[in-house]
């Protein structure tokens, strides 16, 4: 009898974490490494948020809370959805977890049975398919190529739906591509979903505030109110307020689903950190200057990186609508040999050679379900990005 569970054989470690870890190991060994693989803002948490956390400690708010969130944080989340998204929820329809990942995981674990299908547009965040597999479901990956803006089309969605389809996971703006769905594009997908009442939508809105060039964010339940009773609208404070380490995510959905997710959480992590919940409440209720200021910085960095990559022979980098990633194609380098003598026969080979030869860590596209691409996070200082672009250009120039 095997000691390790069979379910672990269905999944693989996160490739983004693996690349970040490898970069850290090389740096610890004395290499000059620039890591553009991690997806987190490089800014400090806003001061009012940190102050609220310190005040919570001083006030003795260091005990267990309700399993899926304090009443005051749930009220702040309800107010946020009403203020920013025009969505009307009650606190009983809101859940708070240890990061957005737990909200997604809880929802899938609470709803999927063996053979249930989940539509996952590719390129996708690396954890989506593995979470589906852990929950006993079957990920149905639908490729969304660069020439369609890395977006799921209504026709492709219609073709992917079967009687076993239970969820569609929709991430806008997207990790890794930065592609966003405008209201017209979102409405077209909603029209398809209205014809298939068994399909729920898991709307991952974690990059909601990181949109550029006047792009207007929208979420499915907002665009099509008739879908609201089968949408889980998920968000969090990690990206919008530079709070990745605080580990607070939240979601809103019909009360039946929320109660089921809370039941699951009660037997796993129980409540998120009490201090982090008070900090998240301050982030949602407080001044939003940080959101506006950081968006301007990220847009400037996006423009810098897109221009720099498009100047590299063999690379083609589209302009993303949001998030803090670019997802360039490296198809022009396939079949060539790197300056150090590595045959570049895949995006994984490209990423490994770039790290080994130039000390720049990126994540290969196969990890996100769509090749031949790679992901760069431009959540780094301008000077760091310029140096990385210089190295990438040198690497590409030297390929033959």
């Amino acid at each position: 009898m095997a000691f390790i569970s069979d379910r672990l054989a269905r999944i693989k470690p996160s490739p983004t974490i693996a690349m970040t870890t490898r970069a850290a190991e090389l740096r610890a060994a004395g290499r000059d490494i620039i890591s553009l693989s991690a997806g987190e803002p490089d800014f400090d948490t806003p001061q009012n948020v940190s102050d609220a956390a310190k005040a919570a400690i001083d006030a003795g708010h260091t005990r267990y809370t309700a399993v899926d969130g304090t009443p005051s944080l749930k009220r702040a989340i309800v107010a946020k959805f009403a203020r920013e998204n025009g969505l009307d929820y009650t606190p009983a329809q809101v859940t708070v977890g240890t990061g957005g990942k737990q909200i997604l995981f809880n929802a899938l674990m609470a709803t999927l049975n063996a053979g249930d299908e989940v539509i996952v547009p590719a390129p996708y965040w690396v954890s989506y398919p593995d979470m589906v597999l852990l929950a006993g479901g079957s990920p149905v990956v639908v490729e969304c190529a660069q020439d369609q803006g890395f977006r799921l089309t209504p026709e492709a969605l219609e073709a992917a739906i079967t009687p076993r389809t239970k969820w569609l996971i929709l991430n806008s703006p997207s990790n890794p591509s930065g592609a966003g769905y405008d209201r017209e594009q979102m409405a077209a997908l909603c029209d398809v979903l209205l014809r298939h009442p068994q399909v729920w939508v898991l709307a991952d809105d974690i990059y909601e505030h990181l949109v550029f060039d006047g792009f207007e964010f929208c979420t499915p339940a907002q665009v099509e109110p008739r879908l609201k009773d089968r949408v889980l609208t998920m968000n969090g404070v990690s990206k919008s307020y530079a709070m990745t380490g605080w580990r607070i995510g939240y979601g809103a959905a019909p009360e039946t689903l929320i109660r089921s997710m809370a039941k699951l959480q009660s037997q796993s992590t129980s409540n998120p950190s009490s201090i982090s919940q008070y900090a998240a409440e301050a982030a949602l209720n407080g001044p939003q200057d940080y959101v506006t200021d950081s968006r301007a910085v990220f847009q400037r960095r996006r423009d810098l990186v897109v221009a720099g990559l498009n100047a590299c022979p063999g690379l083609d980098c589209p302009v993303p609508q949001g998030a803090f990633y670019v997802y360039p194609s490296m198809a022009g380098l396939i079949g060539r040999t790197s300056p150090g003598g590595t045959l570049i026969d895949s995006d994984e080979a490209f990423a490994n050679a770039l790290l080994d030869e130039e000390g720049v860590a990126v994540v290969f596209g196969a990890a996100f379900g769509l090749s031949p691409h790679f992901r760069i996070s431009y959540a780094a200082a301008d000077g760091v990005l310029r140096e990385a672009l210089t190295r990438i250009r040198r690497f590409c120039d030297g390929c033959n």
Side-chain angles (χ1 to χ4, degrees), residues 212-228:
F212 313 126
D213 302 323
F215 182 87
E216 294 186 8
F217 170 83
C218 61
T219 193
Q222 173 189 26
V223 172
E224 181 46 82
R226 289 176 291 176
L227 283 179
K228 186 185 173 200

Side-chain angles (χ1 to χ4, degrees), residues 35-66:
S35 183
L36 303 179
S37 55
E40 64 176 347
D42 59 316
F43 307 119
D44 292 331
T45 300
Q47 190 61 49
N48 69 299
V49 175
S50 296
D51 290 343
K54 296 170 188 174
I57 295 172
D58 293 340
H61 297 310
T62 56
R63 301 183 183 276
Y64 294 133
T65 73

Side-chain angles (χ1 to χ4, degrees), residues 33-112:
I33 301 295
I34 298 175
S35 183
L36 303 179
S37 55
E40 64 176 347
D42 59 316
F43 307 119
D44 292 331
T45 300
Q47 190 61 49
N48 69 299
V49 175
S50 296
D51 290 343
K54 296 170 188 174
I57 295 172
D58 293 340
H61 297 310
T62 56
R63 301 183 183 276
Y64 294 133
T65 73
V67 164
D68 67 339
T70 63
S72 59
L73 177 53
K74 287 191 174 188
R75 288 193 295 270
I77 293 166
V78 166
K80 178 264 183 247
F81 278 128
R83 179 179 69 247
E84 297 184 349
N85 308 112
L87 292 172
D88 181 24
Y89 290 108
T90 67
Q93 295 173 307
V94 170
T95 184
V96 181
T98 307
K101 182 178 282 190
Q102 187 176 31
I103 301 299
L104 302 170
F105 184 80
N106 285 352
L108 295 170
M109 287 292 291
T111 58
L112 291 181

Side-chain angles (χ1 to χ4, degrees), residues 256-294:
T256 301
L257 175 58
I258 295 299
R259 286 198 305 266
S260 298
M261 292 168 64
K263 179 180 179 181
L264 178 64
Q265 189 163 306
S266 73
Q267 297 294 358
S268 57
T269 62
S270 194
N271 66 273
S273 159
S274 60
I275 304 308
S276 295
Q277 290 188 69
Y278 281 95
E281 186 179 335
L284 295 175
N285 287 340
Q288 302 297 302
D289 308 66
Y290 168 83
V291 173
T292 303
D293 294 345
S294 64

